[in-house]
Amino acid sequence: MAEPSGPPPDGRATDPDPARTVPGPADVGPGPRVPDTAGASDPRPLAALSGAAADRERWDGRHAVAGPTVAAPPDALRGRESLLPVSGRMLDVACGRGGVAVWFARRGWRVDAVDVSPVGLAAGAAAAPQVTWHVHDLGRGLPVECAGPYDVVVCQRFRDPALYPALAAALAPGGLLVLTVLSEVGDTAGPYRAAPGELAAAFPELEHLAHAERDGQATLLARRGP
């Protein structure tokens, strides 16, 4: 998931384009998709449901006024694309307008992409209908359809430490984890920003290939063993 333009909300981020309108899951676009099942049967407190709905509306609004999706590799992988397998199965978590998912799909990867915003997913589906686009509130974890295993898992500018174990568990043997989150390092502290060393400490079971913290951002490239 890159942050839309405007003041960043510190954590809930997807792709660098703004947005507005509130369609339902059926409006996601031509690509295969999984309906969002949050609703009356959801066991969470009403406040949590209201927060998810507000989150969706906010991102729908930003994405609705943005331009077409631009395909691009995840930021933490730029200059390190040689680490990728030639092809495989990929998961883009908090994908926003789907620029990373589209980039992988155009290289022949089988891609699942997840986000709370149907409007953002519709933009991605217009660029790559072959991707499976999932409307889903990540506060409930990963969709059951996205348990893996995946050869690459990307989560860009979306931070939820409760999701870290699921991201690692979704990796296939030899699979690559690509993370970027907002950080306190080189910036002010905030409730959605990673503390120093957070990413390095969160994935001890993986081989860490690259890790950086600076200018308000932290990145991690890590690989599951064979």
Side-chain angles (χ1 to χ4, degrees):
M1 204 188 175
E3 174 64 32
S5 60
D10 254 353
R12 288 281 204 196
T14 31
D15 182 49
D17 316 296
R20 165 107 294 226
T21 65
V22 190
D27 299 308
V28 170
R33 56 199 178 267
V34 175
D36 184 8
T37 55
S41 63
D42 197 303
R44 291 178 304 160
L46 180 60
L49 292 174
S50 299
D55 211 29
R56 174 181 295 186
E57 183 173 357
R58 177 166 62 89
W59 288 109
D60 278 348
R62 293 189 177 208
H63 292 311
V65 297
T69 292
V70 177
D75 291 347
L77 199 62
R78 292 177 187 271
R80 301 185 178 97
E81 291 88 346
S82 61
L83 293 172
L84 288 173
V86 174
S87 63
R89 191 177 178 212
M90 180 265 184
L91 174 64
D92 189 1
V93 178
C95 66
R97 297 176 64 78
V100 169
V102 173
W103 187 85
F104 274 88
R106 289 179 178 174
R107 283 157 178 76
W109 287 68
R110 291 172 292 127
V111 179
D112 285 302
V114 183
D115 199 85
V116 73
S117 170
V119 175
L121 296 182
Q130 69 270 39
V131 172
T132 302
W133 303 95
H134 301 264
V135 182
H136 184 76
D137 169 21
L138 288 163
R140 301 159 59 207
L142 293 179
V144 294
E145 298 84 1
C146 298
Y150 292 96
D151 300 288
V152 175
V153 172
V154 174
C155 187
Q156 182 159 280
R157 293 186 182 83
F158 174 87
R159 173 183 171 269
D160 183 354
L163 203 58
Y164 290 164
L167 298 180
L171 290 171
L176 187 67
L177 181 66
V178 186
L179 296 184
T180 300
V181 299
L182 296 175
S183 170
E184 296 178 359
V185 178
D187 210 320
T188 56
Y192 300 108
R193 291 181 177 265
E198 177 179 297
L199 292 186
F203 301 95
E205 74 276 31
L206 305 181
E207 175 192 4
H208 293 190
L209 305 177
H211 176 245
E213 296 177 309
R214 59 176 176 270
D215 302 325
Q217 182 171 280
T219 60
L220 178 69
L221 289 176
R223 179 178 288 142
R224 179 171 292 287

